[in-house]
Amino acid sequence: LKTKAVLIEDYGEKVHVGEVDLRDPGPGEVLVEIARSGVCHSDLHVVTGDLPLPVPMVLGHEAAGTIRAVGPGVHSARAGESVVLSWIPPCGSCRFCLEGQPQLCTRAASAAMKGKLLGSDAPFSRAGEVVHSFSLTGTLSQYTVVPAQGAIPLPEGVPLDKAALLGCAVMTGVGAALNTAALRPGQSVAVFGAGGVGLSVIQGARIAGASQIIAVDRVPLRLDLARQLGATETLDVNEEDPVDGLLSRTGGYGPDVTFEAIGRPETIVQAFNAVRRGGTAVIVGVAPPHEEISLNSFAFPSQEKTLKGSWYGSSDPGRALPKLARLVRSGQLWLDPMVTKTYDLADAPMAFDDLAEGRVGRPVVHIGL
Ligand SMILES: [Zn+2]
Ligand SMILES: [Zn+2]
């Protein structure tokens, strides 16, 4: 099968749309026709080389589509079924999968770093040379092949054209609020970064009943979106120091919980410094692997602060998706306002530019169906 896809040839170069070959689904795999795929900052990090995955690569990892064929031994999925793709397809047999933390699956993590699938090569190639797949998904493509457990049936009542966001931004952000931080009604929260993930954290905080939700960003469009989606206050870092600004908005104490949804050492440290004594700073943003942070060590014992990581919303994707879909159906989780612009596949490179420049909420590429 030939498929048009968004490709990165080398770090620092612009992405382009090209044609690649796609092999049939192997044992335990499925072929998916993509309807919509979001573009995430993690895709951008590959383009800049901040996330040094193997190239060339088919980008994209947040999508909804329809299963068109299943490989040998697949009984859980059938052709014609609408699905949301998960960029962590849990192997089901490693220590973390068995102990109920499938988001930490070591086999899926290792395959993602190599641009392969579970126990098989990437499904894409060009002139006989392998083309890698982003995090076992490679969704910015008309068709892709993924492990069957990475194609989660789309629950009733969520339109296919909105469901893509559930696969990365919403799973990650809402999960960070509800699972990692286990927010409780009445808490005060600050969210650094109001991109797709940060906006989802804000929604999770609203759903959990947080009384004060402060969005911290430098782009007016994103601060406007944050207010639409539940932020009670905004803080523009062009005008104010974020740590001072958060202290002054919380009676001098700092928020109960801070979330960093950018992935930069400076903002991670700010999120830690701003959280109140005894509070928790949750790190959701993915910083380049070589970056390090420096924190005041006295603050840990004397202020009892917690610094906590959150990966894929601390979610079991197969169980979390139906729950997120129920929140969409009940009117508590809003997908429409997050998508401010959609693109055809041919214009996907523009989505990358718009995302890098902060000109959009979550860019979504309309690929098929
Ligand atoms: Zn993502
Ligand atoms: Zn596993």
Side-chain angles (χ1 to χ4, degrees), residues 242-261:
V243 176
D244 291 345
L246 290 175
L247 292 180
S248 72
R249 283 166 173 76
T250 51
Y253 295 110
D256 295 316
V257 182
T258 56
F259 295 87
E260 202 275 357

Side-chain angles (χ1 to χ4, degrees), residues 40-42 61-62 87 168-169 362:
C40 176
H41 270 96
S42 300
H61 57 281
E62 176 184 87
W87 54 262
C168 182
R362 190 59 148 191

Side-chain angles (χ1 to χ4, degrees), residues 100 144 283 300:
T144 189
I283 309 311
F300 277 101

